[in-house]
Amino acid sequence: MPLGSLVVITALVCATSAALTRRAPCPDGVHTATHPACCALFPLVDGIQQTLFDGGECGDEVHESLRLTFHDAIGFSHSRGRSGGGGADGSIMTFADIETQYPANGGLDDIIHMQERCLSQCSGDGSISAGDFIQLAGAVGVSNCPGAPRLQFLLGRPNATAPAPDNMVPAPFDSADVIFARFADAGFNPDEVVALLASHSIAASKIINPSIAGAPFDSTPELFDTQFFLEQLLRPPTHEAGLQRGQTDSPIEGEMRLMSDYLISRDSRTSCTWQSFVNNQARMANAFRNAMAKLAVLGQDTSQMIDCSEVIPEPKPLPIEHSQSVYPAGFSNADVEPLCAATPFPTLSTLPGPITPVPPVLPS
Ligand code: CA
Ligand code: CA
């Protein structure tokens, strides 16, 4: 090939690439977007922030919205095909009267109703499907939590045509084998399960033990940090009283510890991945972003979807005093049960001050 032809081809490739990434002004005169279809999402994102998340907080509604992305998407099965559900298709909202009856979806009614209202009222003249809305609200909500990665958002999920069947969502009382098998059937390996569990850094339990409703899974439910992975490794207390099915005792007062998290943190298949996230914010955030990108499009034809990730706000970094994993007051390396023999456990400092219970997360 003559050199001149090569130069022409290279120039064409560069021009095509530039055209693909060029941002065009949106009709609102404020935003720009790489695809015109993304423009309609900017006012919707503003509406979600104001209506669902109190102007941009990382509170209970964000936790529940993130939980909803998972409970909608995981209704998907390679082995069962369409009878296993349509994945991230919005079925949990479209067929809420059926899917919220499933025990694993307990407590999701409130956030589904809030999101349904916003879907009809926040979107102005641009309407999106329930499946798109659930994943969009989840990604916007996560962006309010300092330390979180900016999640991908693809637009274009068709409306759900049927509810997902029951028993697709892993339960906190399931064994690690059962949980890994369910995730494998949806296309996730055990390491990706651990990555998805980073969601428990910004989560609280509502229904597992009503006597401690709102108990978070780590001491910093308003921050997407690595505390969850550290605090789960603290040795449990010997007294176990008042525990509910799916719960195991946490040594930190006010904190909820799920039996499933406890088992996965100590399972030989995942203990090293679990430990690798302790005090490694970038590694954890990156793994979570990748696993969420997969989860958010389960059952969808991504070749028909438009990448509108640009509408998701850029999350703030962690406050400097939370940039490292730290033991809660009263704990130290002596309290850790490290189960990964391959790598030494990091040496971490202890938060100064008195031992204080973790307060519950309550709806605003
Ligand atoms: Ca679904
Ligand atoms: Ca946290």
Side-chain angles (χ1 to χ4, degrees):
M1 180 188 294
L3 187 60
S5 303
L6 190 63
V7 170
V8 170
I9 290 170
T10 307
L12 276 173
V13 169
C14 289
T16 309
S17 167
L20 283 173
T21 55
R22 191 179 300 135
R23 297 174 69 95
C26 290
D28 64 6
V30 177
H31 299 97
T32 59
T34 52
H35 192 290
C38 304
C39 285
L41 298 179
F42 286 108
L44 184 53
V45 168
D46 290 344
I48 287 170
Q49 289 284 39
Q50 296 309 319
T51 310
L52 290 179
F53 304 140
D54 300 310
E57 291 184 358
C58 175
D60 181 59
E61 291 76 17
V62 167
H63 305 166
E64 291 300 295
S65 293
L66 179 55
R67 183 175 171 228
L68 190 61
T69 65
F70 173 63
H71 285 240
D72 185 35
I74 201 66
F76 175 78
S77 166
H78 283 296
S79 63
R80 292 170 63 176
R82 291 301 299 179
S83 69
D89 59 354
S91 64
I92 202 164
M93 186 182 291
T94 308
F95 299 97
D97 52 338
I98 297 171
E99 291 198 32
T100 58
Q101 298 303 311
Y102 303 157
N105 291 336
L108 283 171
D109 316 51
D110 288 349
I111 195 68
I112 290 173
H113 291 142
M114 284 179 75
Q115 288 202 6
E116 261 184 324
R117 269 201 306 277
C118 186
L119 175 56
S120 63
Q121 294 170 7
C122 304
S123 53
D125 50 1
S127 69
I128 66 173
S129 69
D132 280 342
F133 188 88
I134 287 171
Q135 298 303 326
L136 177 66
V140 171
V142 167
S143 80
N144 293 339
C145 305
R150 189 189 198 196
L151 296 183
Q152 185 182 62
F153 175 71
L154 303 187
L155 176 72
R157 294 163 190 76
N159 290 325
T161 54
D166 197 1
N167 299 315
M168 302 305 281
V169 183
F173 49 79
D174 285 338
S175 68
D177 281 348
V178 167
I179 292 171
F180 290 152
R182 176 74 274 277
F183 272 102
D185 186 35
F188 294 90
N189 65 38
D191 285 339
E192 291 170 320
V193 175
V194 179
L196 287 172
L197 285 174
S199 58
H200 286 182
S201 183
I202 46 171
S205 166
K206 285 207 158 150
I207 55 164
I208 290 172
N209 188 342
S211 71
I212 51 168
F217 298 118
D218 77 0
S219 58
T220 54
E222 74 290 356
L223 299 174
F224 189 86
D225 56 8
T226 59
Q227 286 302 118
F228 167 73
F229 290 100
L230 173 64
E231 293 171 17
Q232 289 289 322
L233 291 179
L234 295 173
R235 190 171 291 111
T238 48
H239 61 85
E240 294 196 346
L243 297 180
Q244 298 295 314
R245 194 173 181 224
Q247 180 189 7
T248 186
D249 224 355
S250 169
I252 301 173
E253 193 182 345
E255 198 163 291
M256 164 62 74
R257 183 179 279 186
L258 298 181
M259 183 56 87
S260 50
D261 290 344
Y262 178 82
L263 294 176
I264 292 171
S265 69
R266 283 146 175 88
D267 191 280
S268 61
R269 289 163 286 190
T270 40
S271 58
C272 286
T273 301
W274 190 287
Q275 181 176 306
S276 75
F277 292 158
V278 174
N279 206 32
N280 195 332
Q281 179 73 20
R283 186 186 179 101
M284 178 194 72
N286 195 41
F288 177 69
R289 183 185 56 220
N290 292 341
M292 282 299 291
K294 204 166 154 177
L295 180 82
V297 295
L298 279 185
Q300 304 301 310
D301 178 359
T302 54
S303 72
Q304 301 299 308
M305 299 174 81
I306 299 162
D307 191 341
C308 291
S309 305
E310 59 200 329
V311 307
I312 307 299
E314 193 68 56
K316 292 190 187 71
L318 284 173
I320 189 76
E321 65 273 23
H322 288 278
S323 58
Q324 306 275 312
S325 292
V326 63
Y327 291 109
F331 295 91
S332 72
N333 268 55
D335 299 303
V336 170
E337 291 184 316
L339 288 150
C340 172
T343 47
F345 200 80
T347 300
L348 305 167
S349 58
T350 297
L351 202 65
I355 297 174
T356 49
V358 180
V361 181
L362 301 171
S364 53

